[in-house]
Amino acid sequence: MGTGRVVLVGAPLGNAGDASTRLREVLASADVVAAEDTRRLLRLARDLDITVSGRILSYFEGNEERRTPDLVAALRDGAVVAVVTDGGMPSVSDPGYRLVRAALDAGFPVTAAPGPSAVTTALALSGLPSDRFCFEGFLPRSGSGRRSRLRELTAEPRTLVFFEAPHRITAALTDLAATFGAEREGAVCRELTKTYEEIRRGPLGELAAWSAQAEPRGEITVVVAGAPAGPAERPADDDLRAAVAEREAAGDSRRDAIQTVADMYGLRKREVYTLVHAAR
């Protein structure tokens, strides 16, 4: 077996000044550089005043599965394969995991030139508890899938971190407010370390309203406070019915809305069901 190895390269989120000396060395010396976007890689190289001497290959979601065997073949030939994404650490909701798994299965070492991470940067800037957190990546694209995933997280006590696309951020924040409660604290972190960096902090209901008006663009990370310890105090019957109706209006089936409200307040599903149907 040759001396091939994989190096995961943590690229700057936006500010090239965050690039480490080791990142420069790896990109300049690697035999193969697998880049999520080859144009961004070349732009970063220009900003860092380095020359990428190795072979550059595109390696993104659309071709990751097909190209991974080629990269493993390069490892067998003794190549150092660097993996770089548009920003942050490869394999964290970005290309890289398939190659890591394939390289390890084939017996090749995997290491990292660590760098910035949008997950921990947003968490630190959010002002929310950071001693324990849970990274959930991108929420499902469909409204029903997104709401189903959020219902699973209703009682999660750790601070939650999500990635979200700009064209879905308002819908995501609206569903977060409907599922977790409009008063749950959150933060929307946009374009971290870039010229137009923006961080909005506040209750989820307010963040959803702001997003609908502002239509934020760019790379977005959302941080949400975890569920309070223990079930919330039981609201009045009319408030429970209103909570179910609010979730139905957001797209939940009545069954799912009743289950979510019951979970939120530590009630039996039958109790909420009876209250809702007694009023009809």
Side-chain angles (χ1 to χ4, degrees):
M1 182 175 296
T3 57
R5 69 182 187 278
V6 173
V7 185
L8 303 177
V9 180
L13 300 177
N15 190 325
D18 294 333
S20 68
T21 299
R22 185 151 178 247
L23 175 146
R24 297 166 188 262
E25 294 172 350
V26 171
L27 291 183
S29 64
D31 300 299
V32 179
V33 179
E36 183 178 15
D37 186 326
T38 57
R39 293 168 300 179
R40 288 201 184 192
L41 168 65
L42 294 174
R43 189 183 312 134
L44 176 62
R46 287 196 301 270
D47 290 342
L48 300 180
D49 195 25
I50 62 173
T51 299
V52 179
S53 59
R55 182 163 54 110
I56 299 174
L57 293 177
S58 65
Y59 191 63
F60 60 98
E61 183 180 3
N63 71 4
E64 186 178 7
E65 185 172 2
R66 171 172 53 86
R67 187 144 279 177
T68 294
D70 296 336
L71 294 175
V72 173
L75 294 172
R76 290 196 173 96
D77 290 337
V80 173
V81 177
V83 182
V84 60
T85 65
D86 294 346
M89 284 298 297
S91 83
V92 181
S93 286
D94 271 329
Y97 170 75
R98 281 190 176 90
L99 179 58
V100 169
R101 189 66 264 166
L104 293 175
D105 289 345
F108 293 100
V110 178
T111 187
S117 166
V119 177
T120 52
T121 301
L123 178 67
L125 294 175
S126 69
L128 297 171
S130 56
D131 53 336
R132 299 179 67 217
F133 71 95
C134 178
F135 175 57
E136 286 292 322
F138 283 94
L139 288 166
R141 296 179 181 182
S142 71
S144 59
R146 182 171 55 243
R147 290 186 288 273
S148 177
R149 175 74 59 79
L150 292 176
R151 283 193 295 271
E152 296 172 1
L153 298 170
T154 300
E156 172 57 61
R158 295 171 293 181
T159 299
L160 294 155
V161 184
F162 304 93
F163 288 159
E164 193 51 89
H167 61 282
R168 293 194 299 269
I169 184 61
T170 297
L173 288 169
T174 299
D175 286 343
L176 280 162
T179 305
F180 293 166
E183 298 305 313
R184 180 88 68 94
E185 290 292 317
V188 177
C189 305
R190 186 180 73 85
E191 294 290 84
L192 289 169
T193 79
K194 300 177 184 177
T195 302
Y196 297 105
E197 175 180 280
E198 180 179 22
I199 300 172
R200 287 273 176 169
R201 306 174 182 87
L204 290 172
E206 293 182 10
L207 291 175
W210 160 78
S211 179
Q213 182 176 18
E215 298 183 348
R217 294 290 180 261
E219 302 282 342
I220 297 174
T221 305
V222 179
V223 187
V224 180
E233 182 180 351
R234 186 192 188 285
D237 290 354
D238 286 345
D239 291 335
L240 285 171
R241 295 187 188 101
V244 171
E246 181 179 2
R247 279 154 181 76
E248 284 189 87
D252 284 1
S253 67
R254 182 170 301 167
R255 176 181 177 180
D256 287 342
I258 288 172
Q259 184 67 67
T260 299
V261 172
D263 290 344
M264 185 179 297
Y265 297 106
L267 303 173
R268 290 176 300 170
K269 181 180 178 181
R270 169 60 61 179
E271 180 181 355
V272 180
Y273 177 90
T274 300
L275 281 172
V276 169
H277 286 273
R280 296 181 182 276

